[in-house]
Each structure stands twice: as structure tokens, then as C-alpha cells.
Amino acid sequence: MDATAGATTPPESEPARKRRVHGMLKLYYGLNEEGKSSDKPESLDPCDINGPHFDPEVFLNKLRKECSLAELMDQESCMVKQIRALDSDMQTLVYENYNKFISATDTIRKMKNDFKKMEDEMDCLSANMAAITEFSARISGTLQDQHAQITKLSGVHTLLRKLQFLFELPARLNKCLELQAYAQAVSSYRRARSVLKQYSHMPSFRGIQDDCHAIMDQLAQQLRQKFRDGGSSAKDLSECVELLLQLDEPAEELCDKFLSHAQTRLEANLHSLEAELREPTPGPIAASDLPASSTSKPSASPLAGTPTDLSSPTKNSFPSPTARTDILEFIDRGCNEFVSSLCLVIASYQELFINRPQEGDLASKNIPQMASGKLHSFVDALAARYFNLVERRIQEEKGVGDNSLLVRALDRFHRRLQAVSKLLPGSAVPSLGTEIVVRAARERIKQYLAALQSFYLDSLTDVRQALATPRISVGGAVVPPGGGILGGTAPGKDATPSLPELLASLSASILNQIKSVLASVHLFTAKDITFSNKPYFKGEFCSQGVREGLVVSFIKFVCQSSRQFCESAGDRGGSTPPALLLLLSRLCLDYETSTISYILTLTDEQFLAQHHAPVTPVTALCSEAREAAQKLLNHYVKVQGLIISQMLRKSVETRDWVNTIEPRNVRAVMKRVVEDTTSIDVQVGLLYEEGVRKAHSSDSSKRTFSVYSSSRQQVRYAPSYTPSAPMDTNLLSNIHKLFSERIDIFSPVEFNKVSVLTGIIKISLKTFLECVRLRTFGRYGLQQIQVDCHYLQMYLWRFVSDENLVHFLLDEIVGSAAHRCLDPAPMEQSVIEVICERG
């Protein structure tokens, strides 16, 4: 191996070999060309054997000076080992890289051979290219003379073919006309039109052009005839328009003709729909036409009679006039005929006039803008007529029973109009159709509100009849004249109306009707209804429509109609049964307590109302209901007080108190007053709580009035009852009033039995007092007043919140009678008690 290397490489000199070996050592130790370590700082120490400034003499002198003989021998031994290790490592490095050197040599030798072969092939390719170039030049030179002739002949051939097409064009057009191949005829004519126009100055071409014009005029006349026939399909009509446009017919005139023909077909659809409608026949009065302040008859209401289901067909007094065709079928017919045809017309029109590529002279006429304006006007006019028919049909849906057909019809109507919005962006048709849907929903809510109002008024009529007419019980269930089961009593006998049963029946029936109405209206917000989730419908419909327009309006109507019963006695209030006032006051109070909150919560849960718009708060409605209840109860107290007052007034005004006989018993009117008061107490106790009373004294029924006490002292104070000393009597009366509390006769009553009876008794006794003040009494007249007042005191103190109130008023009555007595001689208290106990 060494011999081979020596044979192939020249011998190197000794200095060169040392430099090479030294360079390899530098590489092994990581030194650069200058002898510096690539990763260690340069050392300047001459004794550093690994540094570039190493000096052997200095190193040896240092060792001899600093080290002993043994250390020198050890240092020598160590350096020998290092030298041997370096030699071994270098030899290993050379052996490891030898194969790589051999492989590199073989690769270089092979590359030299391959490049030599490639050079030979490139020389061969270059020679071939030169031969090809020479051969091509030779061929071109040979054919150069014939090339111009061939080109000329080819042009002549093409021209002859065109001329042949032109000469055959009239015959070809006539053949297409016979076969009604209008599209092919127009295509052939358009291909030749420019050439004929260019060479029209030549007689032969002029004749061909005239013949072609005559044929194409005839073809255009036949195409125009298709418009007037009216039997062409939409596809044929579109083809006719397209061909006429290609024949340079005026685009505006074609637009008008196309729309006129389409209008004829669409108007036929509208006439067909209009034939389904007929003039509404005179029928029952609609619930919406009922005055809010009047009670309606059962026959005039969609919800008349007893509290029953709204959807009952027998109770629906608003049958649809067009019983032959329901609204869903009507809307389906309109959508399938009119709307579908309209969409087809829009699509065809746009394809022909608006979306069609404009070329040549047509591009400068701005046909799409003109055509778009005509299309919008055309669609808006026909859609307005169609919407008018749809609204008329919707308005005929007066029944408040099943909503499903109406909702499905509106949903289908809304869906089909979306196709128009996609075909004709920017059209007002979809928005107008949406307004119809919204108005229909609002009108439906108004109908339900009117039906609820009418039902409420009819229910009040039934209550009044039940209060005025005895009811016959059948099988233990009390049946009023209206037919509703109101409660139970002994079978086969007349039953007195029970206020709690009437109240429960009235409240339950109204609540059930509200729930039924909400269930019917809820169909408008079903998930499968397209317009139900639209922002322009759902929020407004749920919040302002159902909640405010239906539920809140009905609650307000209940409160307002109830307050109308509190009008003056000369109007409605005089004919209103007091029991009805009491029942309505309790109904309004129950609404304020729980019913209003329950109804509104139920409404919000069902319709997920998002109250973006301001809505009526629950507290405002509750306050209105409480105000109505308070007004009704106050009026009830006033009416009952006036009834008793009327009896007392007549009993005082119709009697001769000066010449009356000595009293032997209590007057019948006083017994009637106590009986009526007891009846009122029972009546009020059926609907209201007892209330709070002040502590009664142990002898309330036997208490003697202050006037009685003073009456016993009449002998002592006789001059005070004689006309000769009026000032003393006034003085005693005024002093007595100073130490008594002021009594407010017409103060508002509280919602309990004691407060109601207190108010009635105050009005009654105040009337009694004022009537006594207007009369003149004799001795026995005064004594009769004493007997009557004592009898009233024996019973009335039980009904009031403070017995002192009764005592005070009766004291005032007896005192006023004594003051107006010509011969004031009061009866002994023991005699009065005997008469009252006996009577």
C-alpha cells in the first residue's frame, strides 16, 4: 500500500512533511491556522506546552530548577506516554479516512469517463440539428412559389362557400319558416346580415337582402302573433321575445308586450280568486262592534251563554261567509296559480331583458335599467290587487274557534312571498305581504279581545239572572237559567243564589276562556311557522299584541266595566243589584291579589315575551284592580245604606209625630232595618273576612244612651227642653259633641265585613238623624223615637267595628228629637226595655 502511494505521488521534502503533520496535530487539538485554540483564550506563557509561545529551553530550565530528579524522571515518563498516545491517535485517524480517500478517487475517475461520453453525444446532436436546419431551408425554398398560390386558393374557397350560403339564404329561411324553426332562421339571418349590409350596393346582394328582409318581416309578424294568441307557454313566449330582440325589435316595446301578455294570464288568476269571494251577508253583530259599556245578549256574542270552550262550533256566532272554500284552500290556490305564475314571469323577464348580456348597439341603450323599472311597477300593481283579495278573505275569518287553518294559510302565504324577494331583490312585495300577516295577527287578537269582553258581559248577565231568578237544582247541581252548573243544594227545591259559588264559577270560567284564547293565539308562534321567529313579528306580536293588546286590555276592560256599575243612581247604579256590586268587588280584589300575576306569568311563559317596548307593569294593573274593587265596595255600601235610609226616611216623613199615640211596641220598619242589616251581614260574610272590632263592653245590648241619662234628669233640667231656653239646650249639645269623635259618614271602607257593615249603618243612622231634625215631635213621638233607637241599639252594635259609633249616632237622634219636642217628657228606661224585649 505504501509502495502504491509512493508510486502515484511525488516524494515530499522533510519540512513539508513536518508542516503537514503539524497541521494535522493542530486540527486534532482544535487549533486554528495561527496555532490558537478555537475555544480557549490565547496563552502567552512560554512554559505552556500547549500554547503558541512555548519555548523548550525555558521549559527545561524551569523544570531543572524547580523539580528534583525523581520528578524529572516522572515528567519524562508522562511526556513519552502522551507522545505515544498522539502517534496512536493520528495513525487511527489516517486508517479510518483511508477508505474515504479511495472512494473519492474512484468517483472522480468515473466522472471523467461520463463527461467524455456526454461530450460525444452533444457533438452528435449538434451535427443532426445542423442537418435538419439545412433540410428545412431546402424545402422552404422549393415550396415558396406554391405557398402564395395555395393561400389564394384557400381564400377563394372560403369566399365561394360564403357566397353559396348567401345565395341559398332566402330558400333556407323560407324552409325554416315552413317548419317553424324560428331560432334557426334568426341565427342564419344574423350570420349573413352584416355581409349583406356591407355589399348592399351591389345589385345581386341587394336582391338577396330584400328577399331576406321580407322573409324576416313575415317571421317577426308570426312571432308577434304568438303574443296576441295568449295560448303560448312561458317557454315559447320567452323564445319569441329573445328572437325579436335579436331582430332589433324595440326593447321597450317588447317589455310592454311581454308584461301585457303576462298580465292577461295573471289577471285571469286574480279573477278566479275574486270569484271565490262574495259580498258578506248580513249576520250577527260582531263582538268588536259591541259597546264596551253595555251588556250584550248571548246571541250577539261568539262566546255567549255559559262558560264553555271558545272552539265550540255551536257557540260560534261568526260563521265564515265563504263556507264553500276555507282560507287555506283559498291561499293555496292563490299561491299555486297567481304567485307561481308571477315568479315564472319575473324569472323569464329577468332572463330576457335584465340578465341577458348586452352586445353591440344594445349595450348603449341601458335596457336592464329600463326593464327593471317596468318590472317593479308591473309586480307592485298586480301584487297590490292580490293582497287586496287576500285581506278581504282574511277579514271574512270572523270565527274565534280554531286558528290552525288561518295560521297555516298565513304561513304558506308568507313562505311563497319569500320566493318573490329572492327573484326580485328590492321589491316592496315581501314587506307588504309581511304587513298583511302582522295585521291579520293583530286583527285576530282584536277579535279574541272582543270575544272575551262579550263573554265577560254575558257572564255578568248570567250572574244577574241567577241573582234575580230562583234556580232549580237537578241531581244536586244548581242550574241557573243560563245553563251553567253553579253549585249544589237540596235536589228538587228552589235554591237561593250562593255568592261564593257564583264568584268561583265566574272567575273560573273567565280564567278558562283566557287560557283557551292564549292556546289558540299560541299557534301563531309555533316553531314550524316561518314568520313566527322573525324579529319584525315575534317581539311585537308577543309583547304588544298578546300581552298588551289582549291580556292587559281585557284585564283593564274588566276593571273599567266593573267601575261603570258605580255610576249615579239615576243611571246604571240604580238598577244594579247590590249583590253584583259585592261580587264584582271581590272579583277585582282577587284579581289584584293573585289572578293578574298568574295570568301575566302564564302569558310570559307561553310566549317568551321579551319586553323591548314599554309594557304595563303588573303593579299598575293590580293597583287598577284594587281601585276598582275599592270603588265597587264603596258603592255597595252606599247603595245598601241608601236602601235602608229610604225606609227610615219614609217611616219618619209619613208619620204624624205630634199627634201620635203612646208607644206600645217597636215600629215594624225598625225590625225590617235589623233584618236587612243581618241579611247584609250574612251576604258580605260569604265573600269577605270578619275584620277587626274594638273590645265590646259587657253590657253593650243594655247600655243606656247619654240622652236617656239626661232624659231621666228632665225634671231637673226641664227648662232646657222648653222653647223658652233654647240656648241652654244648644250649649249642652255642643258640649257633648266636643267630647265625641268626629264621624266620617262616607269614608272609604276596608275589605272586610265589619268595615262594610259599619259604613252601611253610619249612612242609615245619619239619614235617620237628618230626617228627625226636620220634624216636630209631641210627647209620644219622642217616646216612640226612644223605643226605636233602643231597639236599634240592642242589635246594631254587633255589626260595627266600634259600638260607640252606634251609641253616639243614636244619642244624636234622641237628642235631636227631644230638642224638637213640644212636650219633652221622656219614657222611663225600664218601660223602654220591656217594650223592646217584647217586640
Side-chain angles (χ1 to χ4, degrees):
M1 186 180 295
D2 292 340
T4 304
T8 57
T9 58
E12 56 183 355
S13 60
E14 187 66 20
R17 188 182 66 80
K18 289 183 177 181
R19 285 196 301 271
R20 185 171 62 81
V21 173
H22 190 60
M24 293 178 65
L25 288 174
K26 286 182 178 181
L27 181 63
Y28 180 78
Y29 285 108
L31 301 176
N32 51 24
E33 293 299 327
E34 289 80 9
K36 300 178 181 180
S37 175
S38 58
D39 55 356
K40 294 181 180 180
E42 182 179 355
S43 177
L44 301 178
D45 187 5
C47 296
D48 184 5
I49 195 170
N50 293 322
H53 300 284
F54 175 71
D55 191 344
E57 293 297 331
V58 176
F59 179 72
L60 289 176
N61 291 333
K62 181 179 180 182
L63 290 178
R64 285 196 295 267
K65 291 178 181 180
E66 297 177 355
C67 301
S68 60
L69 180 59
E71 292 175 345
L72 288 174
M73 293 179 66
D74 292 339
Q75 185 72 21
E76 179 186 10
S77 176
C78 180
M79 293 183 67
V80 170
K81 290 180 180 180
Q82 292 178 357
I83 291 171
R84 289 177 179 175
L86 282 174
D87 290 340
S88 176
D89 292 342
M90 185 175 63
Q91 187 176 8
T92 301
L93 184 64
V94 171
Y95 286 161
E96 288 177 352
N97 289 283
Y98 182 73
N99 290 333
K100 298 179 181 179
F101 296 151
I102 297 301
S103 176
T105 302
D106 293 342
T107 301
I108 292 172
R109 186 181 299 111
K110 184 177 179 181
M111 288 176 64
K112 287 182 179 181
N113 294 334
D114 292 342
F115 276 117
K116 184 175 181 182
K117 183 178 179 180
M118 187 179 296
E119 287 177 358
D120 295 340
E121 291 178 355
M122 291 298 293
D123 292 341
C124 181
L125 178 62
S126 177
N128 291 336
M129 291 295 292
I132 291 171
T133 303
E134 183 181 357
F135 186 69
S136 176
R138 193 184 308 164
I139 292 175
S140 298
T142 304
L143 298 177
Q144 185 174 7
D145 297 336
Q146 298 178 0
H147 179 70
Q149 187 177 0
I150 291 173
T151 302
K152 183 178 180 180
L153 291 174
S154 176
V156 172
H157 176 70
T158 302
L159 180 60
L160 288 175
R161 289 181 60 188
K162 290 181 178 180
L163 291 174
Q164 182 181 4
F165 175 81
L166 291 176
F167 285 116
E168 294 177 354
L169 182 60
R172 187 188 300 268
L173 294 179
N174 282 323
K175 187 67 174 178
C176 291
L177 197 61
E178 292 177 3
L179 299 176
Q180 294 185 351
Y182 301 132
Q184 185 177 352
V186 172
S187 176
S188 300
Y189 176 71
R190 291 188 65 194
R191 288 170 55 190
R193 182 167 54 183
S194 60
V195 177
L196 291 175
K197 184 177 181 180
Q198 183 178 359
Y199 296 100
S200 60
H201 59 282
M202 301 177 65
S204 57
F205 288 97
R206 181 70 178 179
I208 295 173
Q209 186 181 26
D210 293 340
D211 293 342
C212 291
H213 280 173
I215 296 171
M216 296 312 295
D217 288 342
Q218 185 179 358
L219 185 147
Q221 188 67 26
Q222 293 184 9
L223 291 177
R224 295 190 194 99
Q225 185 65 32
K226 280 193 173 185
F227 283 103
R228 293 188 291 271
D229 291 343
S232 304
S233 64
K235 183 178 179 181
D236 294 339
L237 191 64
S238 302
E239 184 180 1
C240 289
V241 172
E242 185 174 1
L243 294 177
L244 289 172
L245 280 175
Q246 293 177 4
L247 293 176
D248 291 337
E249 286 285 325
E252 187 171 357
E253 182 179 347
L254 288 178
C255 290
D256 293 338
K257 289 182 178 180
F258 183 91
L259 295 178
S260 175
H261 176 77
Q263 184 172 3
T264 303
R265 298 176 60 85
L266 292 172
E267 282 184 345
N269 295 332
L270 291 177
H271 289 313
S272 176
L273 290 176
E274 193 170 8
E276 293 292 331
L277 299 174
R278 61 178 179 177
E279 292 299 326
T281 57
I285 301 174
S288 58
D289 297 331
L290 293 173
S293 60
S294 64
T295 55
S296 60
K297 297 182 180 179
S299 61
S301 168
L303 298 175
T306 57
T308 54
D309 186 9
L310 275 172
S311 61
S312 175
T314 60
K315 297 299 179 183
N316 183 6
S317 62
F318 303 113
S320 176
T322 56
R324 296 172 302 170
T325 304
D326 59 46
I327 187 169
L328 180 60
E329 185 177 349
F330 180 85
I331 294 296
D332 269 342
R333 184 172 180 181
C335 291
N336 294 334
E337 294 179 2
F338 175 79
V339 179
S340 298
S341 300
L342 182 64
C343 291
L344 184 60
V345 168
I346 293 173
S348 302
Y349 185 90
Q350 288 179 331
E351 183 179 355
L352 292 175
F353 300 107
I354 298 177
N355 300 331
R356 186 171 178 268
Q358 304 296 320
E359 301 175 354
D361 296 338
L362 296 178
S364 61
K365 296 180 180 180
N366 202 8
I367 294 177
Q369 184 176 358
M370 178 273 299
S372 179
K374 288 182 175 293
L375 179 62
H376 278 81
S377 300
F378 170 80
V379 172
D380 291 345
L382 286 176
R385 293 176 56 186
Y386 173 62
F387 290 159
N388 182 36
L389 295 177
V390 171
E391 283 200 286
R392 284 173 55 189
R393 183 62 185 87
I394 292 175
Q395 289 172 1
E396 292 180 358
E397 290 296 306
K398 299 292 186 180
V400 288
D402 189 9
N403 260 341
S404 57
L405 283 180
L406 176 62
V407 174
R408 287 167 57 194
L410 293 176
D411 178 56
R412 200 156 299 176
F413 175 73
H414 183 270
R415 286 176 187 267
R416 296 303 293 268
L417 288 182
Q418 303 310 307
V420 178
S421 66
K422 293 179 181 179
L423 287 173
L424 196 61
S427 173
V429 171
S431 61
L432 294 176
T434 301
E435 292 178 2
I436 291 178
V437 173
V438 174
R439 283 199 298 270
R442 290 176 181 170
E443 185 63 28
R444 201 62 170 171
I445 289 176
K446 291 180 181 179
Q447 293 174 6
Y448 275 113
L449 175 61
L452 283 175
Q453 292 173 351
S454 180
F455 173 80
Y456 174 72
L457 296 176
D458 292 335
S459 299
L460 293 186
T461 302
D462 293 340
V463 171
R464 296 185 71 163
Q465 292 177 354
L467 292 172
T469 307
R471 299 168 297 170
I472 306 301
S473 64
V474 179
V478 179
V479 182
I485 296 177
L486 299 175
T489 184
K493 297 181 180 180
D494 292 346
T496 303
S498 173
L499 288 181
E501 293 171 358
L502 287 174
L503 175 63
S505 176
L506 177 62
S507 180
S509 62
I510 293 174
L511 189 59
N512 289 336
Q513 292 294 5
I514 292 175
K515 290 181 179 179
S516 177
V517 167
L518 290 179
S520 298
V521 175
H522 194 262
L523 294 175
F524 283 94
T525 60
K527 293 182 179 179
D528 58 340
I529 304 301
T530 54
F531 58 80
S532 63
N533 292 319
K534 300 297 182 182
Y536 52 76
F537 179 83
K538 185 170 185 180
E540 183 74 15
F541 177 77
C542 294
S543 177
Q544 298 301 313
V546 177
R547 189 185 192 277
E548 295 296 308
L550 182 61
V551 178
V552 173
S553 296
F554 177 68
I555 293 173
K556 289 182 176 180
F557 172 79
V558 170
C559 297
Q560 292 170 2
S561 61
S562 299
R563 285 199 299 267
Q564 289 173 359
F565 287 99
C566 302
E567 295 176 359
S568 61
D571 195 359
R572 173 186 294 274
S575 61
T576 303
L580 181 61
L581 296 173
L582 185 66
L583 186 145
L584 289 178
S585 69
R586 185 66 209 188
L587 178 68
C588 292
L589 185 63
D590 290 342
Y591 267 57
E592 185 265 339
T593 305
S594 59
T595 308
I596 291 177
S597 299
Y598 172 75
I599 292 174
L600 291 181
T601 302
L602 180 66
T603 303
D604 292 343
E605 288 176 353
Q606 286 189 7
F607 293 88
L608 300 175
Q610 299 177 354
H611 306 317
H612 299 299
V615 295
T616 305
V618 178
T619 53
L621 291 176
C622 292
S623 176
E624 187 171 352
R626 187 175 185 86
E627 180 185 351
Q630 184 70 64
K631 192 171 182 180
L632 285 164
L633 195 59
N634 292 343
H635 192 62
Y636 173 78
V637 170
K638 180 180 177 182
V639 170
Q640 292 287 40
L642 291 178
I643 292 174
I644 298 177
S645 298
Q646 187 71 6
M647 292 190 299
L648 293 172
R649 184 178 65 83
K650 289 182 179 180
S651 70
V652 174
E653 292 178 350
T654 58
R655 191 179 183 91
D656 185 2
W657 294 98
V658 176
N659 301 317
T660 185
I661 62 175
E662 184 178 358
R664 289 291 179 263
N665 50 31
V666 180
R667 287 191 302 153
V669 69
M670 298 303 163
K671 298 178 182 179
R672 178 67 183 276
V673 168
V674 173
E675 291 175 359
D676 288 356
T677 305
T678 305
S679 176
I680 294 172
D681 179 73
V682 173
Q683 187 181 66
V684 177
L686 293 173
L687 298 180
Y688 283 101
E689 302 291 337
E690 179 69 22
V692 180
R693 286 188 172 92
K694 291 185 178 180
H696 295 159
S697 62
S698 60
D699 58 344
S700 297
S701 61
K702 296 186 179 295
R703 180 175 179 231
T704 58
F705 302 139
S706 59
V707 174
Y708 297 165
S709 301
S710 61
S711 297
R712 293 193 183 108
Q713 301 172 5
Q714 287 297 325
V715 178
R716 185 182 308 173
Y717 301 107
S720 65
Y721 287 97
T722 60
S724 61
M727 293 302 297
D728 294 339
T729 304
N730 291 335
L731 180 61
L732 289 175
S733 177
N734 292 333
I735 292 174
H736 180 70
K737 290 180 180 179
L738 286 176
F739 294 95
S740 61
E741 296 181 0
R742 179 180 180 273
I743 299 176
D744 189 359
I745 302 300
F746 294 98
S747 60
V749 296
E750 299 177 1
F751 295 103
N752 57 71
K753 184 177 71 173
V754 172
S755 180
V756 172
L757 268 295
T758 301
I760 295 172
I761 291 174
K762 283 194 300 183
I763 294 175
S764 304
L765 296 183
K766 183 64 174 177
T767 303
F768 193 11
L769 173 62
E770 296 302 323
C771 291
V772 167
R773 286 178 176 174
L774 298 177
R775 306 295 293 178
T776 301
F777 296 87
R779 173 185 298 181
Y780 297 134
L782 172 62
Q783 292 177 2
Q784 185 65 57
I785 292 294
Q786 285 182 285
V787 172
D788 292 344
C789 289
H790 185 77
Y791 182 82
L792 293 177
Q793 184 270 334
M794 288 176 60
Y795 295 98
L796 296 186
W797 67 271
R798 298 181 177 88
F799 303 116
V800 297
S801 59
D802 186 3
E803 59 181 297
N804 292 324
L805 183 144
V806 175
H807 299 326
F808 175 77
L809 289 174
L810 293 175
D811 283 344
E812 284 285 313
I813 294 170
V814 176
S816 296
H819 180 67
R820 289 161 179 78
C821 183
L822 301 176
D823 183 16
M827 182 179 288
E828 290 294 330
Q829 181 65 25
S830 58
V831 179
I832 295 175
E833 291 176 359
V834 171
I835 294 175
C836 291
E837 290 174 359
R838 185 181 60 192

